[in-house]
Amino acid sequence: MIDKYVTMNKKNIDQALALLADALKSDDPNFPINSPSEFVKRIPKRSLSGDHILGGKILDFASAGITDTATTQQISVTDKAVEVKTLKVGYVKDDLTIEGTVTANTIKVDVLEVKELKADIKFEKEENVAFGGKNVYGKGLIWKDAGYVKQFVFNGEPDRFFSSETIDLQKGKHFSVNNIKVLSDIELGPTVTKSNLREVGKLRGLLVDGPVVINSYLYYNASSDRLGLGTEEPNAAFAVAEDGIEVMVGTKDSVKGIVGTFASNDFDIVTDNTSRISVSASGNVQLGNTKQPPVQVSVHGKLAIKVNMPDPEVDLHVAGAVKFNNKLQKYGETYPIAGAYNVGDIVWNSQPRVNTFVGWVCVQAGEPGIWEPFGKIGN
């Protein structure tokens, strides 16, 4: 009998089919159909194609690249998709497109590129989060909700971090620059020397280096070390300007202190809102107030009038005429021959000699009135 079991090809396919037909018809127990293992051994290797199998199951299947030890169905192949109950893959090469939801315990990738990332997770990372690319500006953390977008991003011109929301530090924490505290919940740092504060609360221990302006009314001129109220250019160490009059407190010629007006204005010293001493712009001095009852003026010391070098032996030194109780007293070589005088006015002899008089007294008012000598000197 011709051996029909040779390696199949397109020319001997009919021989294989003929063998199968003989086996189905045979009643010989030794014929290979009754011994499957012997029958299979007679089939040449790599002689069957997928076209020979339709339906049924292939158990304990294996090939050079596939091993099938499943006891239940794990893969279903249709025209639309391949369905796998459990997939364990060691390596995926080239691009992978997934349509739908991926659920995983751990995903490890070298680079993760996403258009949008939504997560409710605990984020742990041993390395820094790096924002790269050609343009790093405008990148950072973004929070989106039904309202406006909240941001903490890196911006340029100049380089800086921008936060659209309030940054709230925990109590006891502070902002630092170069590891030096510059701002905490209760104080500015010791290195903060410049500020444009517009409103502050209670100040204590304020040190200011440079000019000061308060409410456009109080001015401290650092270049001249002068303080002015109502004036930007005080004419003394301290000056108050109001209604066009400047009152100064300072020094003059580096040897004396001064208090008074800078321009030609009268100057009053007041108590109880009443003028007590008045100095006119021309220099006249008035003690007391003509609109008030006379006041008491006490001089505890020596008094000199029109005298540059007062006599230390006297308490009152006057260079000129005086009046006591409205009575004139002055000095002259003789009694007046002109002018108006009143009874009781006295002219003291400025050249007293023996057999002359101490002075003359007016006994009748007039111009010059009638004068009589008194106090003959000597016998």
Side-chain angles (χ1 to χ4, degrees):
M1 183 176 65
I2 301 174
D3 187 1
K4 300 178 181 181
Y5 306 105
V6 296
T7 301
M8 293 184 182
N9 54 39
K10 291 182 180 180
K11 294 182 179 181
N12 57 22
I13 188 63
D14 292 337
Q15 296 176 1
L17 294 176
L19 175 62
L20 180 61
D22 291 343
L24 292 174
K25 296 175 182 180
S26 176
D27 293 331
D28 186 356
N30 296 321
F31 198 78
I33 193 64
N34 295 319
S35 178
S37 59
E38 292 298 326
F39 176 73
V40 171
K41 292 179 180 179
R42 297 290 303 275
I43 299 176
K45 295 181 179 180
R46 296 178 299 278
S47 61
L48 296 178
S49 69
D51 294 337
H52 293 91
I53 303 172
L54 179 61
K57 295 181 180 180
I58 301 176
L59 301 177
D60 199 19
F61 172 76
S63 68
I66 300 175
T67 299
D68 182 8
T69 60
T71 58
T72 60
Q73 179 178 319
Q74 300 296 320
I75 300 177
S76 176
V77 182
T78 66
D79 291 339
K80 295 183 179 180
V82 176
E83 297 182 3
V84 181
K85 291 184 178 180
T86 302
L87 179 63
K88 183 177 181 181
V89 180
Y91 180 76
V92 177
K93 185 178 181 180
D94 297 330
D95 296 340
L96 176 65
T97 301
I98 299 176
E99 181 178 332
T101 302
V102 176
T103 302
N105 292 328
T106 303
I107 298 178
K108 295 182 178 181
V109 296
D110 292 335
V111 179
L112 180 63
E113 295 184 3
V114 296
K115 292 182 178 179
E116 184 175 351
L117 179 63
K118 295 181 179 180
D120 186 10
I121 59 174
K122 178 181 179 181
F123 185 75
E124 295 182 356
K125 195 175 190 316
E126 296 181 354
E127 298 180 359
N128 296 328
V129 177
F131 296 91
K134 295 181 179 179
N135 184 10
V136 298
Y137 298 116
K139 295 181 179 179
L141 303 178
I142 304 293
W143 293 266
K144 292 184 179 180
D145 57 15
Y148 64 91
V149 176
K150 283 79 173 176
Q151 306 179 51
F152 187 80
V153 297
F154 180 67
N155 288 338
E157 297 182 359
D159 289 355
R160 67 199 188 281
F161 287 99
F162 167 76
S163 174
S164 62
E165 308 304 310
T166 300
I167 297 178
D168 189 6
L169 299 183
Q170 183 179 350
K171 182 176 179 60
K173 302 301 180 180
H174 60 267
F175 289 99
S176 298
V177 174
N178 195 27
N179 203 29
I180 298 176
K181 182 170 67 175
V182 296
L183 179 62
S184 71
D185 56 337
I186 59 173
E187 65 179 353
L188 292 173
T191 60
V192 178
T193 58
K194 295 182 179 181
S195 174
N196 285 325
L197 292 175
R198 291 292 183 268
E199 182 176 346
V200 296
K202 183 178 180 180
L203 297 177
R204 182 177 63 182
L206 179 64
L207 298 178
V208 179
D209 185 9
V212 177
V213 177
I214 299 179
N215 199 33
S216 297
Y217 180 70
L218 186 149
Y219 300 88
Y220 172 70
N221 190 322
S223 60
S224 63
D225 279 336
R226 291 182 173 182
L227 181 65
L229 291 178
T231 175
E232 297 183 46
E233 298 179 357
N235 289 288
F238 176 65
V240 178
E242 186 178 22
D243 298 330
I245 301 174
E246 181 181 355
V247 178
M248 309 177 301
V249 177
T251 62
K252 186 174 182 180
D253 301 331
S254 300
V255 295
K256 64 181 69 175
I258 60 170
V259 176
T261 60
F262 177 74
S264 296
N265 301 108
D266 296 344
F267 180 73
D268 287 356
I269 297 177
V270 302
T271 63
D272 195 24
N273 201 30
T274 301
S275 297
R276 304 302 184 184
I277 301 176
S278 298
V279 182
S280 69
S282 59
N284 294 328
V285 179
Q286 175 180 299
L287 301 178
N289 193 316
T290 58
K291 298 180 179 179
Q292 299 290 332
V295 297
Q296 175 179 323
V297 178
S298 299
V299 179
H300 294 280
K302 301 178 183 298
L303 181 63
I305 300 176
K306 294 175 64 176
V307 178
N308 292 329
M309 300 293 292
D311 188 343
E313 298 297 327
V314 300
D315 291 332
L316 177 63
H317 192 164
V318 180
V322 298
K323 271 193 175 183
F324 289 107
N325 199 21
N326 205 30
K327 302 300 181 180
L328 173 68
Q329 295 198 30
K330 68 176 185 176
Y331 278 82
E333 294 181 0
T334 184
Y335 56 83
I337 59 175
Y341 294 91
N342 296 312
V343 174
D345 291 345
I346 295 175
V347 175
W348 296 92
N349 190 352
S350 61
Q351 299 291 332
R353 294 183 302 275
V354 176
N355 292 325
T356 63
F357 296 94
V358 172
W360 300 267
V361 60
C362 181
V363 295
Q364 181 176 327
E367 296 182 5
I370 298 175
W371 291 81
E372 293 294 340
F374 68 90
K376 185 177 181 180
I377 302 173
N379 295 326

